[in-house]
Amino acid sequence: MSIHNHPKKAKEFVSNDERMHWHDKALWFVREKRDKASKSIPEWEKLREYAQQIKTHTMANLDKYLLEFEENATKRGIKVHFAKDAKEHNEIVYNILKEHQVKKVVKSKSMLTEECHLNPFLEKKGIEVVDTDLGERIVQFRKEPPSHIVLPAIHLKKEDVAKTFHKELGTDENNSDPTYLTRAAREHLRGKFLEADAGITGVNFAIANTGGVVVCTNEGNADMGSSLPKLHIACMGIEKIIPRLQDLSIFTRLLARSATGQPITTYTSHYHGAIENGEMHIVIVDNNRANFLSSNKYKKALNCIRCGACMNTCPVYRRSGGHSYDYVIPGPIGSSLATFRDPKLHKTLSFACSLCGSCSNVCPVKIDLDSQLYNHRQDLYEKNIISTKKRVVMKLSVWVLNSPILFSILGKITRKIVPLIPKKIIYNRFNIWGKQRDIPNMPTKSFKELYKEGSIDVK
Ligand code: SF4
């Protein structure tokens, strides 16, 4: 398998300057909405703290809560399955579908099924799978993966959608009016819901003391998919468990505000059993998650409630697009999850971070994302996974930064020499740093010198 290369993919995204700026603005708009929504409730920081504590406690007692959940769900007539990995998950889902002779499935948004590559697996077995979230349907038509976990088609403009719908649904190619396009999608999806033999949904929260699951959507597509067909399969990672029903309100208040700035997701649906004459299954998957629990540095990543706030605020994600991460979950949390899972394959991701800390600042469950990415860099260095060029630069930096005298001598030389060097020499092909950046004008004095002579007011 070839190593994923974030800088290369990001370069491709950035090459379309207009689209890059548009993407940046679109996500910043969502980030601002999140800020307003979070400030509208004075107890916001308390909620974050509670959420963090509940999640940390649950992860420390995950075996207990998973068993409690299984017992309570079973009492409600739900069939619970456990899968150790993606392959087992896909086989379990397929066997349930096969048993019911299912040919057509409607599926609401589930990052887990993306992670397990469920769609191509089922399609190979002759089962039609229709993603019913509007953004997901758009990217499914285009045979692309989602580029964001909450806004899967955020990389596309309405004109792109008009072209895609024209090709797939026969709409007017030149009409990119969102209402027109949404109506066409709704009509198309209604037909799919009515034809479907089964509905697959993700799970936002699984409640141990009730044995039920909660699914949040803004389009009501999970509700349609789980109430029209008689068979409902909900797929979840082991980390979706919360202990009690009363804990849910903390997460629902945080989730929608962090994700899109809404006070609550439009549809927050509770499933505590199958519909009349129906059947409900829950597939609980590990797929490498348990490994996180043994790592003090990275286990908090399991607390993620998939709100996407860290992506919306990340200056790198906003300017490089979700596909550049080459992982099912992009942005800061995706970088940490991917690097932990396969450091070699995703070795460039932890360097796609400015360490500004904005992600940790907005994260509703207080995951230390910037520290995790910083730690990954050290681990990659220790494991000798990063490139020789980077290793040498890091070694030299350590040497210089460890010696105040050397640092100050080199600073003095650089301030004197750089202004004298012709630009052509500075911006040579070996100076990768200078490709997208201008070297700032050199100050005549160092910070230390200015501080000593009292020219800097540190108050
Ligand atoms: S890491 Fe935090 S901010 Fe990012 S998606 Fe998960 S919960 Fe949201």
Side-chain angles (χ1 to χ4, degrees):
M1 198 181 279
S2 63
I3 304 294
H4 293 164
N5 189 335
H6 180 269
K8 189 167 168 267
K9 290 267 181 96
K11 194 177 167 192
E12 284 161 21
F13 189 80
V14 168
S15 66
N16 185 337
D17 196 57
E18 190 257 321
R19 187 178 287 264
M20 185 268 282
H21 282 295
W22 170 82
H23 188 261
D24 176 24
K25 265 196 199 152
L27 287 155
W28 188 249
F29 174 72
V30 187
R31 152 79 211 254
E32 283 183 325
K33 274 177 73 187
R34 173 255 164 223
D35 287 350
K36 269 188 209 136
S38 65
K39 287 186 176 66
S40 70
I41 43 178
E43 66 276 27
W44 181 255
E45 287 307 318
K46 262 193 197 151
L47 287 176
R48 284 180 80 211
E49 188 52 41
Y50 288 148
Q52 197 256 122
Q53 285 179 14
I54 294 168
K55 275 282 181 183
T56 307
H57 163 82
T58 316
M59 291 307 134
N61 298 279
L62 197 54
D63 48 347
K64 170 181 167 286
Y65 287 120
L66 279 169
L67 290 175
E68 188 184 338
F69 175 77
E70 184 194 16
E71 195 188 323
N72 289 326
T74 309
K75 273 187 208 156
R76 293 177 178 276
I78 301 170
K79 295 184 182 164
V80 181
H81 311 256
F82 286 92
K84 70 169 186 304
D85 55 21
K87 188 170 170 277
E88 218 170 272
H89 163 265
N90 292 350
E91 273 158 11
I92 291 170
V93 174
Y94 173 62
N95 286 332
I96 303 168
L97 297 176
K98 197 166 89 178
E99 202 183 299
H100 290 79
Q101 294 166 354
V102 169
K103 287 282 159 228
K104 293 180 178 188
V105 172
V106 278
K107 183 164 79 69
S108 81
K109 189 132 64 58
S110 147
M111 293 318 291
L112 177 80
T113 57
E114 284 290 326
E115 175 187 321
C116 296
H117 303 292
L118 181 67
N119 287 19
F121 178 85
L122 293 181
E123 278 155 13
K124 264 194 205 142
K125 304 271 186 194
I127 296 173
E128 184 195 2
V129 186
V130 173
D131 282 322
T132 56
D133 172 272
L134 178 56
E136 292 244 316
R137 188 63 178 146
I138 296 167
V139 291
Q140 189 181 33
F141 276 146
R142 297 169 64 93
K143 301 188 177 34
E144 288 174 2
S147 72
H148 187 288
I149 58 174
V150 176
L151 313 157
I154 190 70
H155 59 293
L156 298 170
K157 291 184 163 188
K158 58 185 195 307
E159 291 76 15
D160 301 317
V161 178
K163 277 194 192 119
T164 307
F165 277 15
H166 168 68
K167 196 168 146 233
E168 303 290 338
L169 305 176
T171 52
D172 177 357
E173 189 175 7
N174 301 314
N175 192 343
S176 58
D177 172 47
T179 308
Y180 169 72
L181 295 172
T182 311
R183 281 193 180 140
R186 183 180 296 157
E187 199 184 318
H188 158 73
L189 285 170
R190 284 278 149 132
K192 295 291 178 190
F193 282 122
L194 291 169
E195 285 169 6
D197 313 304
I200 297 178
T201 65
V203 168
N204 288 90
F205 305 101
I207 309 157
N209 79 341
T210 68
V213 297
V214 174
V215 183
C216 307
T217 69
N218 270 329
E219 296 163 22
N221 54 313
D223 308 68
M224 295 280 280
S226 55
S227 47
L228 287 175
K230 293 285 180 211
L231 176 63
H232 174 198
I233 306 173
C235 302
M236 58 176 265
I238 52 171
E239 79 284 9
K240 295 289 177 181
I241 294 276
I242 56 169
R244 303 163 309 171
L245 183 60
Q246 54 265 54
D247 301 323
L248 184 70
S249 59
I250 293 171
F251 293 101
T252 46
R253 293 183 82 196
L254 287 166
L255 178 67
R257 287 184 173 89
S258 299
T260 52
Q262 293 164 262
I264 190 151
T265 322
T266 316
Y267 299 88
T268 301
S269 306
H270 294 237
Y271 298 94
H272 281 83
I275 54 169
E276 218 180 314
N277 300 322
E279 204 172 296
M280 182 174 173
H281 293 253
I282 297 178
V283 188
I284 306 175
V285 190
D286 178 350
N287 205 28
N288 246 334
R289 286 164 171 73
N291 281 345
F292 278 89
L293 297 175
S294 57
S295 157
N296 274 337
K297 278 195 272 185
Y298 303 111
K299 66 175 157 199
K300 268 192 176 181
L302 271 197
N303 294 358
C304 175
I305 57 169
R306 305 279 188 266
C307 70
C310 58
M311 290 154 218
N312 303 341
T313 197
C314 175
V316 178
Y317 173 88
R318 283 189 277 119
R319 291 168 180 85
S320 60
H323 290 156
S324 63
Y325 289 78
D326 258 331
Y327 186 62
V328 61
I329 300 176
I333 180 67
S335 297
S336 186
L337 293 171
T339 314
F340 185 81
R341 274 169 180 264
D342 194 334
K344 211 168 184 180
L345 186 64
H346 300 287
K347 64 178 187 177
T348 56
L349 286 185
S350 53
F351 293 92
C353 171
S354 62
L355 295 181
C356 65
S358 185
C359 48
S360 307
N361 235 353
V362 298
C363 177
V365 283
K366 292 188 152 186
I367 301 174
D368 51 346
L369 291 158
D370 56 325
S371 304
Q372 293 203 3
L373 293 171
Y374 180 65
N375 285 330
H376 278 306
R377 294 182 190 182
Q378 335 272 317
D379 291 352
L380 292 170
Y381 182 85
E382 295 292 321
K383 289 180 188 153
N384 208 2
I385 290 176
I386 58 172
S387 71
T388 319
K389 206 157 58 176
K390 213 169 228 149
R391 271 189 95 72
V392 172
V393 172
M394 280 170 104
K395 273 211 157 147
L396 282 175
S397 313
V398 170
W399 186 50
V400 174
L401 294 169
N402 268 338
S403 161
I405 297 175
L406 192 61
F407 181 79
S408 120
I409 294 171
L410 284 176
K412 209 167 250 174
I413 296 172
T414 311
R415 286 196 300 279
K416 287 257 179 314
I417 288 190
V418 171
L420 306 175
I421 308 174
K423 281 210 161 187
K424 258 192 203 158
I425 296 181
I426 292 182
Y427 296 102
N428 61 54
R429 67 191 173 93
F430 299 107
N431 180 10
I432 302 171
W433 189 89
K435 268 188 186 167
Q436 274 96 19
R437 302 173 182 93
D438 278 333
I439 289 181
N441 290 333
M442 291 287 139
T444 45
K445 290 180 181 174
S446 71
F447 174 83
K448 210 157 84 182
E449 285 164 344
L450 293 170
Y451 183 70
K452 264 191 192 161
E453 67 188 33
S455 318
I456 288 176
D457 183 7
V458 285
K459 277 172 208 155

